[in-house]
Structures are given as structure tokens and as C-alpha cells.
Amino acid sequence: MINIGLTSYALGFLAYLVLCGLLLTGWRGRMQGGLLVVAVSVTLLWCGLHALWAGWDVPSARVLQVVEPLHFVVWIVFLHGLLNRAQKRVGLVAALVYLLAAVMVFVPLLAPYFPDTFPLGDVAPKYSFLGYVLLSVAGLFLIENLYRNTRAEQRWGIKFLCLGIGGMFAYDFFMYAQALLFNHLDLNLWAARGAVFMLVAPLIGISVARNPDWSVDVFISRDAAAHTTTLLFAGCYLLFM
């Protein structure tokens, strides 16, 4: 029988291995390109560890819990780099969300150190799922503002990047929102995630080819400081569910 999780994450590993190789050969020494190399490399490692766990139960589940939020963090840092000339209030709001989410994500790691009577052991999964939902929403929030605040004539250079990274965050939002609502992670969604990440890798590659210097000109929109369509959509989705 085919191990879907192993196959899915192995395909993701291969896709990001190829993308990482292409980035390293074409990197021109710019900081933003370096951040992209780091983001792709961490995603490559992340897919590899998930593939090993799906196939052979190594490393331990606790190590996997520590590794899980890394792919959120590296892509958020990369997006912040592209938005470094945008309004600072957007970055401040996002930073507060990341801090809150990070605390919630790492709560399960503390559960074994508390006695069984301590309620943390029961609520830890809920806090963890909520943390991942917040990280996903924060990533989508940054992507929306990056696209809206990029000059119209330069959007062709980041269009596929926004679709690719947005696809990763949107899938994680859907998976963890469902886990939060039903108090357990859908293993079928988890197993298919590697294939989703594989499919978005070429979109990131296309954006790299279109904008090798990452000289995206981000401006501050006069009509709105921070667009919040993402937050509105996420709230409506959770309310509907």
C-alpha cells in the first residue's frame, strides 16, 4: 500500500531541493535573495523531516512539534523583508500576532513538565491549533498588503510569489482551523500537505526568474494603511464553520 504521507512530503522535498539549487546558482548576494534561500532551505528540511516521520516514525513527534512552526516563521520573515519600506504600523500589528501565536504554538512542549492535574495538558492542543491559525492569517495578511502596496507595473514580478506562498498559508489555515473546530488534526489533510507545497514551488521559481534582484518598489497607499480583507475572510470562515 502506498504511504500517502511519505510520498507527498518526499515530493515536496524534491521540489524544494531543485528550487534551492536553482536559487543558490543564481543568487546575486542581495539580502532579500539570501532570505529567500533560507526560507526555501528550511522548507526543504521541514518536508524531509515530515517525510521521515510519515515513513519510519523518526524523528520523534516532539521534535516534529518543534520543527512544525519553522516554515511559518521563515516565510513571514521573508515577506517582512519585502515590506520593509511599507508602513511600520503593519509590521507592528503583525509582530504582535506572531508573538502571541508563537507562545500558543509552543505551549504543548511544556505540557509534559506539568502534573497531570494541571489543566494545561487538556487545553494545549487547542492553544497550539489556534497559534497555527493565527500564524497562517498573519502570513496571508502580509501577502495581501505586499500585493496591494506594490506598484501596478511591478506586480507581474511578485504575482506568482503571492499565489505560491499564499497557497501554503491558505492550506495551513484551512487544516488548522478545522483542527481547532473539531479538536483533532485531520491526518488526510496533513498527509496531502506535502503535495500542496510541491505544487507551489514552481510558482515561487517563476517569481524568482521574473525578479532576480528583488527590487520590488513598495509604496504606502494613501487610501488605506493596512488592508484587512484577509482578516475579514478568516473571521467569516470561522464564524460560518
Side-chain angles (χ1 to χ4, degrees), residues 162-186:
C162 292
L163 288 174
I165 303 177
M168 291 191 291
F169 281 121
Y171 191 89
D172 279 332
F173 170 76
F174 172 72
M175 184 179 73
Y176 281 112
Q178 187 176 33
L180 177 64
L181 292 169
F182 298 107
N183 203 28
H184 68 88
L185 189 64
D186 189 319

Side-chain angles (χ1 to χ4, degrees), residues 14-208:
L14 292 175
Y16 284 92
L17 180 63
V18 173
L19 180 58
C20 186
L22 293 175
L23 289 175
L24 287 174
T25 57
W27 183 33
R28 301 182 180 181
R30 291 180 178 268
M31 181 177 179
Q32 197 58 43
L35 290 176
L36 181 60
V37 171
V38 171
V40 171
S41 300
V42 171
T43 307
L44 165 68
L45 174 64
W46 178 86
C47 285
L49 290 176
H50 277 71
L52 289 174
W53 191 84
W56 298 279
D57 291 330
V58 291
S60 66
R62 191 155 300 283
V63 172
L64 214 62
Q65 280 184 314
V66 174
V67 172
E68 174 64 15
L70 292 182
H71 78 284
F72 289 99
V73 175
V74 292
W75 287 111
I76 285 172
V77 170
F78 172 72
L79 291 170
H80 260 293
L82 289 179
L83 276 166
N84 62 352
R85 282 179 289 178
Q87 187 157 329
K88 293 181 180 180
R89 185 165 54 180
V90 175
L92 178 60
V93 172
L96 292 175
V97 173
Y98 308 151
L99 178 61
L100 177 62
V103 171
M104 292 181 175
V105 166
F106 287 103
V107 160
L109 301 180
L110 303 177
Y113 302 101
F114 291 89
D116 293 336
T117 55
F118 193 75
L120 182 61
D122 296 329
V123 302
K126 280 279 189 179
Y127 277 104
S128 180
F129 295 150
L130 179 59
Y132 288 127
V133 168
L134 290 176
L135 282 174
S136 302
V137 171
L140 292 170
F141 173 79
L142 285 178
I143 291 169
E144 178 190 358
N145 279 273
L146 172 65
Y147 187 80
R148 286 179 180 269
N149 291 314
T150 300
R151 297 189 182 280
E153 63 271 17
Q154 291 190 325
R155 286 178 180 173
W156 70 276
I158 63 165
K159 177 172 61 177
F160 288 104
L161 178 78
C162 292
L163 288 174
I165 303 177
M168 291 191 291
F169 281 121
Y171 191 89
D172 279 332
F173 170 76
F174 172 72
M175 184 179 73
Y176 281 112
Q178 187 176 33
L180 177 64
L181 292 169
F182 298 107
N183 203 28
H184 68 88
L185 189 64
D186 189 319
L187 293 181
N188 292 322
L189 290 175
W190 178 86
R193 186 168 53 158
V196 173
F197 277 48
M198 174 201 69
L199 293 174
V200 305
L203 299 179
I204 299 174
I206 292 173
S207 259
V208 173

